[in-house]
Amino acid sequence: MLQIWGNLSGPARPDTGWGGLWQEYARAIGLCDWIQDKELGGSGWGFEGIVRMNAGFEMIWCNFSSPSIRLVSHLNVTAPLLPAEDEEISARDVEYEPTSYFPLPPSPTRSDKATDPTNPPQPPVMGREQWAREPFFPTQAWNWGASALAHYGSSANGPGLGETRVKITGCGFLSYYTPKFLSQALPRAAEEQKTLNLTKDGLWTGPGKSGTRAESLEALKRRRRLHTLEYVTTTDAAIMRANSERVLKDLLSPSPVNCTGIDWTTLTNEIVQTYAAPLLAFLKFLQQYPDSHNHTALELWMTDIRDQTHTFLVPFLQYPESTDSKIWTRESTLFKDTYSLCRFQYTRLLNPEEGVSLGPEEDLLKWAIEETLGGICSMLVDVGLSVEGIWESEFNLLPSNKTTTTKLAGLRKEVTRWTEGVEELMSWLGWAGEWIGCDVLCAWDEKCYIPMWPIIPMGRRGPGRGRRPPPGYGRPGRPPSHSGPPNGTFPGFPPNGTWRGPGRGFNPWAPSETGLWKPKCVKKNYILEGDGD
């Protein structure tokens, strides 16, 4: 919307009832027209389509008469409809209707511009009778969800396939998170200062008067879930559009001037995979601090903790010859040297002095990587050196010098500092998706289901062969006759058109977030029927 029209509402749509598909085609046409008008692509050359993320990913292809794409088959694969439920006839008398409710689209009219389809069929939502007669309706919904899940990235259940068919060109990466877009950054920062208890510099001040520390940190970890573009001005949208035109034209040139060829995607994925899961495991180990004053038990626990901190720091830490206790503090030269090697481990040579000049887009990625690693390394080097100092002074002793009871009166306080530091680091990183997954291994006929638009669980629905609408649900475009949210899994828009993502105010139509943060193993009927959770 911002790229095409400079606002979030877009053009006025015709008053024809349900308008979801109208906006879909308006956006597709608008993007393709923009590419053509700015001479960024055309039939058989340049940029010929747009990939967008939805549940999984979708392709908007601008011109189906282009020589870049070829039709290899044209089949009507729809199956005969099931008989209507009110028909009392024997099986031998059944005359199946030859085609599905969903008709083949009309033959396209070739033109230089994309055109609206003639009466496109509406998607299978809101429990209409025609869809109850589709024999494979439950299966197609399950396969749709399974396909999207297969192209997800990593989660707490391990790495996923990801969308490997699309290769990201890092030197053309643009984001509204860029610091210069203050029209959205300043209002969001002001709001998060109040709702998340942050200072003007973005530092967390604690849980505040309401809520627990754990709840507040979870809110901080998930705050990007609430980020929208609602504050972006028309001016900022025009800047983004101009930047994207500049980047795309540069990429079309024989020798792009702002593209080093660095694989930023692999680099950033490597950082997440290196630290996400180990940070969670490290936190769990810290939380297992033995409630005992026995020196042997504490030594075993400290051995495990030291093993993990050493794993984090082994590429960067050179053990000092001095045994002065001050060497293990944040103020020491050892800390500064180790921190520097850790923070700039991927980017140290990316500067003009080394013959590497980055364009504005790649320079932003370099900055983001260094800021992210700066936060990670600051905490891990701090904890790691503290662990080494305690190990050196209290555990790295001759057997004759060890006692059966510990003299570490301050160890618990230091462990608390480590634990809270790692918790706050994870909340600051906001990699919530990396730490969310099913608690158990799913059965052979199940999938670990993380809710994704437009299939979002909203409660329990009644039995039946097909999906049935709640009371008051009729044709698309009509508001419900009751005040509560619909029951069951609701794939698509609400009939009254008030659907929105997770927002700041109360919205009775907003989807439940419970399933998002507590995914579970489900079977194929879950997507259509739900189970009330």
Side-chain angles (χ1 to χ4, degrees), residues 34 48 54 236 262 362 388 393 398 466 484 501 505 527 530:
W34 166 65
E48 297 191 72
N54 195 22
D236 276 355
I262 296 172
E362 288 190 295
E388 291 295 327
S393 63
L398 294 173
I527 289 182

Side-chain angles (χ1 to χ4, degrees), residues 302-450:
M302 277 292 293
T303 299
D304 285 336
I305 293 299
R306 188 176 184 234
D307 286 346
Q308 293 187 61
T309 56
H310 179 260
T311 300
F312 286 128
L313 302 184
V314 64
F316 321 112
L317 175 62
Q318 179 172 306
Y319 281 89
E321 296 179 2
S322 170
T323 57
D324 184 355
S325 61
K326 293 183 179 179
I327 198 70
W328 306 112
T329 65
R330 289 186 67 96
E331 292 74 27
S332 68
T333 301
L334 179 64
F335 176 89
K336 295 175 183 177
D337 292 344
T338 308
Y339 168 76
S340 177
L341 289 172
C342 180
R343 177 177 181 177
F344 302 108
Q345 57 184 285
Y346 293 103
T347 58
R348 184 171 296 277
L349 300 181
L350 300 182
N351 56 70
E353 290 78 9
E354 299 292 339
V356 180
S357 297
L358 301 179
E361 284 69 45
E362 288 190 295
D363 192 58
L364 177 65
L365 290 173
K366 175 178 178 285
W367 170 82
I369 286 170
E370 291 175 351
E371 287 293 295
T372 302
L373 284 175
I376 295 172
C377 297
S378 176
M379 178 53 59
L380 292 182
V381 175
D382 185 348
V383 174
L385 294 191
S386 178
V387 168
E388 291 295 327
I390 292 175
W391 179 265
E392 180 72 24
S393 63
E394 300 295 341
F395 295 99
N396 195 30
L397 304 172
L398 294 173
S400 59
N401 294 332
K402 294 184 180 180
T403 59
T404 55
T405 58
T406 182
K407 295 180 290 185
L408 294 175
L411 178 59
R412 180 180 291 275
K413 182 178 180 181
E414 189 68 354
V415 171
T416 298
R417 187 180 73 86
W418 300 342
T419 305
E420 292 182 349
V422 174
E423 289 173 343
E424 291 169 14
L425 169 63
M426 293 173 66
S427 292
W428 175 78
L429 286 170
W431 296 345
E434 298 298 320
W435 301 309
I436 296 297
C438 290
D439 294 332
V440 298
L441 180 65
C442 296
W444 64 271
D445 59 343
E446 296 177 330
K447 296 285 186 182
C448 181
Y449 179 72
I450 300 175

Side-chain angles (χ1 to χ4, degrees), residues 494-505:
N496 64 354
T498 59
W499 195 265
R500 57 169 288 182
R504 295 164 177 78

Side-chain angles (χ1 to χ4, degrees), residues 184-206:
Q184 75 148 0
L186 292 178
R188 185 176 64 228
E191 185 167 333
E192 290 186 343
Q193 286 174 28
K194 295 184 294 185
T195 58
L196 299 174
N197 299 316
L198 305 178
T199 67
K200 291 184 178 180
D201 295 326
L203 301 176
W204 185 60
T205 61

